[in-house]
Amino acid sequence: MKKLILSTLAVLAAMGLHAQLLKVESMERVRLPQGVRAEQAILSPDGNSIALSDLDGSLKVVDRRSGTARTISRTGSMMDLAFTADGIVFREASTDGQRRRHVAVKSYRLSDGRTTELVAPSRNLQTVAVGSDGSVLAVESGRMYAAGNAVSAEAVRPVPSIDHGLLYLNYGSTRTAVCPLGTDGMSYLWPSVSPDGNSLLFFAAGYGTYTCSLDGSNLRHLGWLYAPVWYDNSTVVGMRTANNGVVTTEGHIIATAADGSASQTLTEDNLIAVLPSATPGQISFTTTEGEMYIMNVKSIAR
């Protein structure tokens, strides 16, 4: 009888791990301008623009209505890139006379293509985020600034950053180390705070993807989910890939419950799908062939 109960529990647990979290109502391949191939892409909140890193290494913006592409920067990055009310905030790398790498923060205005420097080239820029009020927040050498001015702890929501492989949260002028798996030899990646500001998502090299409370408690393991992002407060989306040591041979977009209780594969085997971006109702991703797709999805009550 005991064995029967244990077997039943195992079956129920397996069913939970593969429960349906999101319903894919439709999926479309985005028509990119001729010659443009996307390594990584983010859809604007209004759906009219796409910011992408081309396979040639440049940062571009695509106007979906006109079908045209403009180059934002030859050395711009998708890391921390975000849309604002009138444009795009992005990182741009440069090298000085001593071949040292610097990173600046710039904004690109969609209406006329004007580029403005928000944070001067820095050797110690750790993260960039756009606040709910549209302010641009940068963490440099452990300190957080908004539009070049120091901000108070009361002014913003927590902003995660990585410094020498360790995970920190900045609350305005306050900086707190949050390393739930410890600090010795650790390398934390892809940190983000949930939309409601209550939970933390991160990947730890050698360990996988986790969620936890902002103080590092209530740690939950989500498995091996690369480049994870929040879909909503209870769901995380990421990619699960395989490679032969040279190229990526398999890639799927995965939805996972934020508490690790269930997961769902959203894409088919015929696509090598990578690098998702998510907002409620839509998940976009690219393929290793440089294509971009958008899935229209709906949450399933559970």
Side-chain angles (χ1 to χ4, degrees):
M1 184 66 178
K2 185 176 180 181
K3 289 184 178 179
L4 177 60
I5 292 174
L6 291 175
S7 297
T8 302
L9 290 174
V11 171
L12 291 174
M15 289 174 63
L17 287 174
H18 297 283
Q20 192 173 20
L21 304 172
L22 300 173
K23 179 183 179 181
V24 180
E25 298 187 315
S26 64
M27 184 171 75
E28 64 172 303
R29 178 181 170 183
V30 178
R31 180 176 293 182
L32 297 175
Q34 185 174 3
V36 174
R37 295 192 298 161
E39 178 182 31
Q40 185 176 359
I42 295 177
L43 187 67
S44 65
D46 62 10
N48 292 328
S49 301
I50 298 167
L52 62 84
S53 53
D54 201 331
L55 294 185
D56 66 7
S58 61
L59 189 64
K60 290 182 169 65
V61 60
V62 174
D63 186 324
R64 297 187 70 193
R65 293 164 295 187
S66 66
T68 59
R70 290 181 284 175
T71 297
I72 298 175
S73 172
R74 297 292 181 186
T75 59
S77 170
M78 291 293 292
M79 184 178 182
D80 296 332
L81 182 145
F83 280 91
T84 62
D86 60 355
I88 297 169
V89 171
F90 65 98
R91 293 173 175 238
E92 185 177 70
S94 61
T95 304
D96 64 17
Q98 297 178 341
R99 297 186 177 180
R100 296 178 304 178
R101 187 174 184 270
H102 295 72
V103 177
V105 180
K106 296 187 175 183
S107 67
Y108 178 88
R109 195 159 62 188
L110 291 173
S111 60
D112 58 9
R114 180 184 177 187
T115 299
T116 303
E117 184 177 276
L118 303 177
V119 177
S122 169
R123 293 272 294 157
N124 298 297
L125 183 71
Q126 288 149 6
T127 197
V128 182
V130 176
S132 58
D133 61 354
S135 62
V136 178
L137 312 172
V139 177
E140 182 183 10
S141 301
R143 297 182 62 198
M144 186 154 69
Y145 294 85
N149 299 310
V151 296
S152 67
E154 294 77 24
V156 297
R157 55 183 275 142
V159 175
S161 63
I162 304 295
D163 187 4
H164 293 84
L166 301 185
L167 176 56
Y168 294 85
L169 276 181
N170 284 76
Y171 300 82
S173 59
T174 302
R175 185 193 195 207
T176 304
V178 184
C179 298
L181 300 178
T183 60
D184 188 23
M186 292 300 300
S187 180
Y188 294 88
L189 300 164
W190 296 309
S192 61
V193 173
S194 59
D196 62 10
N198 294 326
S199 301
L200 184 63
L201 169 68
F202 65 88
F203 180 89
Y207 294 88
T209 298
Y210 294 82
T211 58
C212 64
S213 300
L214 296 183
D215 62 1
S217 63
N218 196 31
L219 188 66
R220 302 295 182 94
H221 188 225
L222 308 189
W224 289 88
L225 201 63
Y226 295 96
V229 295
W230 292 98
Y231 172 77
D232 58 23
N233 293 316
S234 60
T235 310
V236 170
V237 175
M239 66 180 185
R240 191 164 292 153
T241 60
N243 65 80
N244 60 11
V246 180
V247 297
T248 300
T249 56
E250 296 179 26
H252 293 90
I253 304 303
I254 309 293
T256 303
D259 63 3
S261 61
S263 67
Q264 175 190 359
T265 300
L266 300 175
T267 54
E268 302 293 336
D269 293 342
N270 62 321
L271 294 175
I272 303 180
V274 295
L275 299 172
S277 175
T279 57
Q282 287 190 320
I283 297 171
S284 62
F285 63 91
T286 55
T287 71
T288 53
E289 296 297 319
E291 302 165 338
M292 180 183 178
Y293 288 82
I294 297 174
M295 288 186 286
N296 295 298
V297 300
K298 183 178 181 180
S299 295
I300 296 175
R302 58 183 190 274

